[in-house]
Amino acid sequence: MQRIVIDHRKGRPPAARHPEKAHRPDNAVQRKPDWIRVRAPNSPVYQETRKLIRDKSLVTVCEEAACPNIGECWSQRHATMMIMGDICTRACAFCNVATGQPAELDDDEPRRVADAVASLALRHVVITSVDRDDLADGGAAHFAATIHHIRAASPATTIEILTPDFLRKNNALDVVIDAKPDVFNHNIETVPRLYPSIRPGARYYQSLRLLDRVKQRDPEIFTKSGLMLGLGEDRMEVSQVMDDFRIADVDFLTLGQYLQPTPKHASVARFIPPDEFDSYAAVARSKGFLQVSASPLTRSSYHADSDFAALRTARQQSLQRDAKA
C-alpha cells in the first residue's frame, strides 16, 4: 500500500499555512503502522468529483485537513464541503487547516454548494466550516443559508452539519438549529485534560453545552460528536467523555486515530490498534449510543451516508422497544 499525501495548495508551504506554529520545535512524524496506510486515489470517479469541486470553486475539508479517506470517499462521490473559506481563526495543535485572517464571506457560496450537491446526486451531504471567530454570529447565518439552498436544490438529500462551537456568539446556535439539519455534529476532539495543549481556543464544557442545547431545542435532530485517540488520553478519560455525551443525549459517537499532519503539529503519543478500537466501540454501545463508528481511519464524515441510514433505523427500533415496555 502507498501512503497518501494530499496537498493541492501550491504556493502555500506549511510555514505559511500555520504561522502560529512556526516557532515550535519539530515533532518527528512517526511511520504509520500497516493498518492505517491507504491506497492513492486514481479512479475516474475520483477525478470527476475533484473536477466538480474545482469548477464550483468550493473548498472541502477532505483536502484541507489531508484526510486519509479522500480516495475512497471521492470515488463514491462523497465530499465534505467546507464553507466560509479555507482559513481558520483558531490554532488547534492537531489541525491541518490554514490559520490566519479569513476573507469576507462569499454570499454566493451556499448556492454553489447546493448546485454541487444536486450535480453529485447525493443522498446525504456533510457541510462543515472553519472557525470564524471574526464574525458576529460565528457564521451561523451562513450555515442556515447553505441548508436552505440545499433543501431547495435537492429536497431528497439529508443534511449533516459539522459546526464550530460558536463560543461567545449569543443566540447564534439557535439560528442553525432552526434551519433543521438532519444531523448536528460538533466534535469534542479530545479529553478535557488535553484541551490547553491540543484545543486551546475552545472550551470542553462549551462544546458539551452546545450538543445539549441542540437536543433541548429540537429533539428530532440527531446529534453526533467524536474524539481523536492517540494524543495521550487514557481509557478512563475516554469513558468519562462517553458518559458526558450520554448525559447530553448525543446519539452518535465517532472514534478515530489522530494522525500528525506536519512536524509542527502535536505528536502522536500512540497508534491505537484496531482491536482496541473494537473494545472502545463495545463500551460505547453498552452506554446507549444509537450509533458508534470506531476504527483507526474513522473520521466525522467517513461513511456518513450509510451511517445516517443505520442511525435512523436504530432510532426507530429504540422507539418501538420503548412503546412495548
Side-chain angles (χ1 to χ4, degrees), residues 1 12 21 31 56 70-71 120 123 128 144 148 173 180 186 202 209 214-215 227 252 259 265 276 292 302 313-314:
M1 293 238 181
R12 274 202 285 169
K21 296 179 174 68
R31 180 179 174 82
K56 299 290 184 182
I70 188 171
L120 289 166
R123 294 175 302 175
T128 189
H148 293 318
L173 175 61
K180 297 190 74 68
H186 172 68
R209 282 195 296 269
V214 175
K215 278 295 186 187
L227 290 170
F252 188 172
L259 299 176
H265 286 77
E276 198 165 329
V292 179
Y302 188 44
T313 298

Side-chain angles (χ1 to χ4, degrees), residues 131-149:
D131 277 285
R132 290 298 302 259
D133 296 312
D134 59 310
L135 300 175
D137 70 347
H142 204 75
F143 261 106
T146 303
I147 293 169
H148 293 318
H149 275 276

Side-chain angles (χ1 to χ4, degrees), residues 209-224:
R209 282 195 296 269
L210 179 149
L211 292 162
D212 186 55
R213 173 64 176 167
V214 175
K215 278 295 186 187
Q216 288 181 6
R217 190 169 180 88
D218 191 340
E220 294 301 310
I221 296 176
F222 290 103
T223 50
K224 178 177 176 180

Side-chain angles (χ1 to χ4, degrees), residues 195-235:
Y195 261 55
S197 60
I198 299 301
R199 204 177 177 219
R203 301 293 179 266
Y204 177 77
Y205 289 104
Q206 163 70 16
S207 290
L208 273 180
R209 282 195 296 269
L210 179 149
L211 292 162
D212 186 55
R213 173 64 176 167
V214 175
K215 278 295 186 187
Q216 288 181 6
R217 190 169 180 88
D218 191 340
E220 294 301 310
I221 296 176
F222 290 103
T223 50
K224 178 177 176 180
S225 191
L227 290 170
M228 300 172 293
L229 302 185
L231 283 162
E233 71 291 329
D234 64 38
R235 195 173 183 89

Side-chain angles (χ1 to χ4, degrees), residues 31-309:
R31 180 179 174 82
K32 297 176 179 64
D34 290 342
W35 63 75
I36 289 178
R37 297 179 191 177
V38 296
R39 295 186 185 279
N42 58 8
S43 80
V45 178
Y46 169 89
Q47 298 299 336
E48 291 172 13
T49 303
R50 186 175 185 275
K51 183 177 186 301
L52 178 65
I53 296 299
R54 298 291 180 273
D55 290 347
K56 299 290 184 182
S57 300
L58 298 175
V59 178
T60 69
V61 75
C62 319
E63 294 173 293
E64 296 300 321
C67 180
N69 302 315
I70 188 171
E72 178 184 349
C73 293
W74 283 26
S75 294
Q76 299 174 22
R77 292 190 170 86
H78 298 160
T80 298
M81 312 295 179
M82 191 166 78
I83 59 176
M84 296 191 276
D86 61 355
I87 298 178
C88 185
T89 56
R90 302 277 175 96
C92 296
F94 65 87
C95 186
N96 197 44
V97 174
T99 57
Q101 181 62 43
E104 294 293 322
L105 285 182
D106 178 355
D107 292 337
D108 190 50
E109 183 179 53
R111 181 196 61 79
R112 294 200 313 277
V113 169
D115 285 350
V117 170
S119 297
L120 289 166
L122 297 182
R123 294 175 302 175
H124 185 81
V125 64
V126 183
I127 307 295
T128 189
S129 79
V130 290
D131 277 285
R132 290 298 302 259
D133 296 312
D134 59 310
L135 300 175
D137 70 347
H142 204 75
F143 261 106
T146 303
I147 293 169
H148 293 318
H149 275 276
I150 294 171
R151 294 277 187 233
S154 185
T157 302
T158 50
I159 302 171
E160 178 172 334
I161 58 170
L162 172 56
T163 76
D165 58 12
F166 300 114
L167 184 64
R168 293 183 285 274
K169 306 297 182 183
N170 293 336
N171 303 317
L173 175 61
D174 290 349
V175 172
V176 184
I177 298 170
D178 291 346
K180 297 190 74 68
D182 296 282
V183 181
F184 197 115
N185 187 359
H186 172 68
N187 284 330
I188 291 286
E189 305 292 10
T190 190
V191 300
R193 175 177 59 84
L194 297 177
Y195 261 55
S197 60
I198 299 301
R199 204 177 177 219
R203 301 293 179 266
Y204 177 77
Y205 289 104
Q206 163 70 16
S207 290
L208 273 180
R209 282 195 296 269
L210 179 149
L211 292 162
D212 186 55
R213 173 64 176 167
V214 175
K215 278 295 186 187
Q216 288 181 6
R217 190 169 180 88
D218 191 340
E220 294 301 310
I221 296 176
F222 290 103
T223 50
K224 178 177 176 180
S225 191
L227 290 170
M228 300 172 293
L229 302 185
L231 283 162
E233 71 291 329
D234 64 38
R235 195 173 183 89
M236 186 175 296
E237 289 175 312
V238 175
S239 181
Q240 181 61 61
V241 172
M242 291 182 191
D243 289 338
D244 291 344
F245 281 158
R246 293 306 301 132
I247 291 170
D249 202 20
V250 172
D251 298 301
F252 188 172
L253 171 68
T254 62
L255 300 172
Q257 171 71 53
Y258 166 64
L259 299 176
Q260 181 183 350
T262 76
K264 296 298 184 182
H265 286 77
S267 59
V268 175
R270 179 170 170 254
F271 287 108
I272 313 299
D275 61 348
E276 198 165 329
F277 275 100
D278 292 342
S279 176
Y280 274 122
V283 171
R285 292 188 183 97
S286 74
K287 293 179 182 292
F289 290 96
L290 287 179
Q291 179 80 354
V292 179
S293 179
S295 74
L297 287 173
T298 290
R299 296 296 182 267
S300 293
S301 55
Y302 188 44
H303 295 163
D305 57 341
S306 57
D307 280 343
F308 176 72

